[in-house]
């Protein structure tokens, strides 16, 4: 018994160390990413100039680029990656499905339809280019239609006695419905609106600013603290809903609040970054292979892995073909598709039993 306890403590310490190392890697990548871009910025030199007051001629322009363009983009990218990784982790826990992601309930399709509607119908009604002057309307529309998707799925699931299978199937049906809506809007849209819509659907952080960061931050913080507070309940859910209920877990309340939170986080992320696939699918799997299935370690590790993958993808997207920029959704798909195939080969069983 003592030997087992000692081994368990050593394993727990090791997994805590893995989370700490991942956090350190994230900080390192964050700093490296802040150096990379079309404008060469030496961060240490910029800090030295701010402290000493010994400023070079181009200080103002470099300072503006770093603080108002590059830094908010990097922060928004990191928050989006954390949000998608965390949401994917919770969705896989709740649905007991290794292929679940934040988009399982049709959030991405709903948000895509909302953005498409704003881009296509907005200019007709307002007689101006919505993409350049009204991006906030695009973001808000994407957010609200993502929430509409959640509402429809949850309503149907409730009518069917909260069946997980019904939840997933309804999410797939809603995704198809909103995808058809996007196709219709593409068909009737002008060439300029269609171009803007296609760019948005590819995913990217071109419109990143501090307002977007401050919008997504409270949702992300609330979701993270809620999931960490109920980490033990999620652990109990891994054994099945009936067993979790016998252990005192209010399964229905936990599922409802979790679904609402993760969908809100995913919707608001999509609203500002477009559709970025596979992060919510692969980040929890990588985290699970590193720290096991204990949600006290799995939740923060999934968020950090999601941030690492998306930040690395965005850095590659904006530097590999300078001065051109590749949509980050293309990079994440190139990473995610091979991993998705890896999951389907059956090796997922080893990961889920870690």
């Amino acid at each position: 018994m003592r030997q087992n306890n000692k081994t368990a403590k050593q394993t727990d310490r090791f997994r805590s160390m893995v989370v700490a190392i991942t956090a350190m890697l994230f900080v390192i990548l964050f700093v490296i990413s802040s150096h990379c871009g079309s404008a060469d910025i030496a961060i240490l030199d910029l800090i030295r100039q701010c402290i000493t007051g010994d400023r070079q001629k181009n200080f103002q322009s470099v300072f503006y680029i770093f603080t108002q363009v590059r830094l908010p983009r990097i922060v928004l990218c990191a928050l989006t990656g954390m949000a998608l990784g965390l949401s994917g982790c919770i969705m896989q826990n709740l649905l007991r499905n290794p292929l679940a992601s934040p988009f399982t309930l049709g959030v991405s399709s709903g948000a895509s339809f909302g953005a498409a509607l704003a881009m296509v119908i907005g200019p007709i009604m307002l007689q101006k280019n919505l993409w350049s002057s009204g991006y906030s309307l695009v973001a808000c529309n994407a957010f609200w239609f993502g929430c509409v998707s959640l509402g429809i799925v949850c309503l149907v699931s409730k009518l069917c006695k909260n069946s997980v299978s019904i939840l997933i199937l309804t999410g797939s049906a809603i995704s198809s419905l909103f995808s058809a809506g996007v196709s219709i809007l593409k068909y009737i849209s002008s060439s300029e609106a269609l171009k803007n819509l296609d760019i948005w659907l590819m995913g990217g952080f071109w419109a990143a600013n501090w307002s977007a960061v401050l919008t997504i931050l409270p949702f992300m913080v609330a979701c993270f603290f809620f999931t960490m507070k109920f980490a033990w309940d999620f652990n109990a859910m891994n054994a099945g809903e009936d067993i979790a209920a016998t252990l005192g877990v209010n399964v229905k309340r936990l599922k409802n609040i979790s679904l609402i939170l993760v969908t809100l986080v995913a919707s608001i992320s999509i609203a500002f970054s477009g559709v970025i696939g596979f992060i919510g699918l692969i980040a929890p799997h990588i985290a699970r292979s590193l720290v096991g299935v204990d949600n006290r370690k799995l939740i923060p590790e999934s968020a950090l892995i999601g941030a690492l993958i998306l930040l690395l993808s965005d850095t590659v997207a904006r530097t590999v073909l300078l001065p051109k920029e590749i949509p980050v959704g293309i990079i994440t798909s190139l990473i995610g598709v091979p991993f998705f195939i890896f999951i389907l080969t059956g090796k997922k069983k080893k990961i889920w039993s870690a």
Side-chain angles (χ1 to χ4, degrees), residues 280-334:
L281 174 65
I282 64 177
H285 279 278
I286 296 174
R288 195 173 286 109
S289 67
L290 293 173
V291 299
V293 296
D294 185 353
N295 281 280
R296 294 175 300 168
K297 306 294 187 302
L298 180 60
I299 290 171
E301 184 71 4
S302 297
L304 288 169
I305 293 292
L308 274 171
I309 295 174
L310 190 53
L311 191 55
L312 178 61
S313 299
D314 183 61
T315 303
V316 171
R318 59 188 174 86
T319 57
V320 69
L321 292 179
L322 284 174
K324 294 183 178 180
E325 182 177 322
I326 304 173
V328 71
I330 294 177
I331 305 297
T332 58
S333 294
L334 290 174

Side-chain angles (χ1 to χ4, degrees), residues 47-285:
I47 295 174
R48 180 189 60 79
Q49 292 181 52
C50 291
I51 295 175
T52 62
D54 182 18
R55 299 175 179 178
Q56 300 176 359
K57 292 181 180 180
N58 64 341
F59 172 81
Q60 291 296 336
S61 60
V62 172
F63 184 78
Y64 177 84
I65 291 172
F66 178 71
T67 59
Q68 301 302 319
V69 179
R70 187 169 299 174
L71 192 58
R73 174 172 181 149
I74 295 172
V75 174
L76 182 63
C77 179
L79 286 174
T80 302
M82 289 180 179
L84 294 175
L86 178 62
S87 300
C89 175
I90 300 306
M91 289 296 294
Q92 291 176 13
N93 273 325
L94 289 179
L95 302 181
R96 292 290 300 153
N97 189 332
L99 300 181
S101 75
F103 302 155
T104 300
L105 302 185
V107 178
S108 62
S109 296
S112 299
F113 177 77
L117 189 65
M119 293 175 193
V120 175
I121 305 299
I124 298 175
M125 298 175 61
L126 303 177
Q127 297 298 313
K128 64 180 181 179
N129 190 336
L130 184 60
W131 182 258
S132 60
S133 60
Y135 181 74
S136 60
L137 181 58
V138 177
C140 289
N141 230 34
F143 171 72
W144 286 116
F145 273 91
C147 295
V148 167
S149 175
L150 169 69
I152 296 174
V153 172
C154 288
L155 178 60
V156 174
S157 176
K158 186 175 181 180
L159 293 175
C160 298
K161 299 181 180 180
N162 295 311
S163 169
V164 173
S165 299
I166 295 297
L167 198 67
I168 296 175
L169 291 172
T170 306
S172 299
I174 294 299
S175 294
S176 298
L177 176 65
F178 281 122
S179 294
V182 171
S183 298
I184 292 173
L185 291 172
K186 281 184 177 183
Y187 182 76
I188 66 174
S189 65
S190 64
S191 59
E192 184 64 25
L194 179 61
K195 179 181 178 181
N196 292 334
L197 175 58
D198 284 337
I199 292 174
W200 186 87
L201 290 174
M202 292 180 187
F205 297 94
W206 301 283
N209 53 48
W210 288 116
S211 295
V213 171
L214 293 176
T215 301
I216 190 176
L217 183 61
F219 289 94
M220 178 60 202
V221 171
C223 187
F224 179 78
F225 278 106
F226 172 82
T227 51
M228 287 302 296
K229 180 179 179 181
F230 292 96
W232 275 112
D233 291 351
F234 287 116
N235 287 343
M237 287 281 287
N238 287 335
E241 294 185 10
D242 293 336
I243 296 177
T246 61
L247 294 174
V249 177
N250 190 329
V251 175
K252 183 178 180 180
R253 184 185 67 177
L254 181 65
K255 288 178 62 176
N256 290 339
I257 296 177
S258 298
L259 287 174
I260 291 172
L261 273 179
V262 298
T263 304
L264 288 177
V265 169
S267 297
I268 200 67
S269 300
I270 294 169
F272 289 107
S273 64
V275 179
I276 299 176
F278 290 105
I279 298 295
L281 174 65
I282 64 177
H285 279 278

